[in-house]
Amino acid sequence: MWLAIRGANDLGNPRRMVLAAFWAILGLLFLIGEQLPALWVGAAVVALALLAGVGLGKGTERVVSAQKQEADAQRFGHRLFAPALVIPLFTLLVALWLKDVEVAGWRLFAEQHSTVVGLGVACLLALGAACWLTRESPATGLESSRKLIDAIGWAALLPLLLATLGSVFAASGVGDSVSHLISAVIPQDNRLAVVLAYALGMAAFTMIMGNAFAAFPVMTAGIGLPLLVQQHGADAASLAAIGMLSGYCGTLMTPMAANFNIVPAALLELKDPHGVIRMQVGTALPLLLCNILLMYFIVFR
């Protein structure tokens, strides 16, 4: 809702009311979506698609001048990345060691949502660290984040939408079809062949869908659980983790992952719209090979 209010007041955006309506509808869905009738939620999703199709526009106001940004970059150097590192480090700390901590009988983090709560706290800590480092106010940080979201636009929702699409595919039986297809093509009793099918399938399906969250339920239901876990005795937790990493290798190599590979090229005004992908292929392929080796040697009991 903050994005909607601030977007409506951004006079530098000629489509500020469209932008405000988009974020307001999305905010309402997050706040009270579970209490709304399914028909209303469906209509809201259609409205989001129509608004995105019209174009949300971009504001032209600068929170910080370009000259000050350049000066800060020269002064702080790589220290500017330190606040961003707070987010994954603190989230990992909560997920591994602090999730069950209690103080006076009260849990610090909710039992079923400890990682999500830890992520939220980590973002606040990162904001505080960034303000301390740059000597800027929290309001500047919030406004800068709004401008970044405006620049990304509707593509910021792609991970959420693609994860939902993956669940729909899994519920519609696509996973079973994948399982039958793979069983007919590869020898099921060959552990290496099944590992290759799962890891390469995660990468390939991610390239098609644009996000590993969409590929994961389909490939895991079709290959991971029936063939690797149930038939070959693989550990489900480690298999899922490495399987997701294999999918992320596909994310690095596809234009379908627009929010990762196409939007940054547009923001950086690169001459080659696929320049980000070309630079990432050299990392993605060796990393995929490492994931295959890890999967083969680690996940089996």
Side-chain angles (χ1 to χ4, degrees):
M1 301 306 293
W2 166 258
L3 292 174
I5 295 172
R6 294 298 299 149
N9 293 326
D10 187 352
L11 299 180
N13 185 354
R15 295 182 176 176
R16 62 183 185 276
M17 299 313 297
V18 177
L19 178 73
F22 181 88
W23 293 118
I25 293 174
L26 183 64
L28 287 174
L29 289 178
F30 276 115
L31 289 173
I32 60 173
E34 294 183 353
Q35 283 73 45
L36 295 176
L39 181 61
W40 290 20
V41 173
V45 172
V46 172
L48 289 176
L50 293 175
L51 291 171
V54 170
L56 305 182
K58 295 180 181 179
T60 57
E61 300 174 3
R62 280 190 174 272
V63 181
V64 180
S65 67
Q67 293 79 7
K68 188 175 187 308
Q69 287 181 337
E70 182 65 25
D72 287 344
Q74 294 293 332
R75 185 173 63 155
F76 296 115
H78 294 305
R79 286 183 294 165
L80 286 171
F81 293 100
L85 294 176
V86 172
I87 298 176
L89 291 177
F90 186 81
T91 304
L92 185 64
L93 179 68
V94 172
L96 296 181
W97 294 290
L98 299 181
K99 61 180 180 179
D100 296 321
V101 173
E102 295 184 359
V103 177
W106 292 85
R107 294 179 62 93
L108 288 180
F109 301 95
E111 184 175 1
Q112 297 182 358
H113 304 287
S114 58
T115 303
V116 175
V117 175
L119 176 61
V121 175
C123 291
L124 293 177
L125 292 176
L127 175 62
C131 292
W132 176 81
L133 177 65
T134 61
R135 298 298 187 267
E136 296 286 352
S137 67
T140 301
L142 290 175
E143 192 65 15
S144 296
S145 66
R146 180 187 71 83
K147 300 298 292 184
L148 179 60
I149 289 293
D150 280 357
I152 297 174
W154 62 267
L157 301 183
L158 278 177
L160 174 63
L161 297 176
L162 291 172
T164 304
L165 182 60
S167 300
V168 172
F169 275 14
S172 62
V174 176
D176 294 334
S177 300
V178 170
S179 179
H180 293 314
L181 179 62
I182 295 299
S183 299
V185 173
I186 67 171
Q188 299 182 41
D189 57 346
N190 188 317
R191 179 179 293 180
L192 178 59
V194 180
V195 166
L196 286 171
Y198 181 58
L200 296 176
M202 276 294 301
F205 204 69
T206 297
M207 293 179 69
I208 296 172
M209 300 295 295
N211 194 287
F213 289 104
F216 181 76
V218 175
M219 299 307 298
T220 302
I223 302 176
L225 291 178
L227 300 182
L228 288 173
V229 175
Q230 297 175 1
Q231 184 169 330
H232 289 281
D235 177 69
S238 55
L239 176 69
I242 301 176
M244 284 294 290
L245 290 175
S246 301
Y248 294 150
C249 294
T251 302
L252 297 175
M253 300 185 289
T254 176
M256 293 299 292
N259 52 325
F260 294 111
N261 300 331
I262 302 301
V263 171
L267 293 177
L268 296 173
E269 299 180 354
L270 300 181
K271 295 181 179 179
D272 182 2
H274 301 298
V276 175
I277 297 174
R278 298 184 198 281
M279 293 298 296
Q280 292 174 164
V281 170
T283 299
L285 293 177
L287 185 59
L288 179 58
L289 176 60
C290 290
N291 286 330
I292 293 173
L293 294 175
L294 287 174
M295 191 179 297
Y296 184 76
F297 289 108
I298 289 178
V299 304
F300 299 101
R301 303 185 184 95

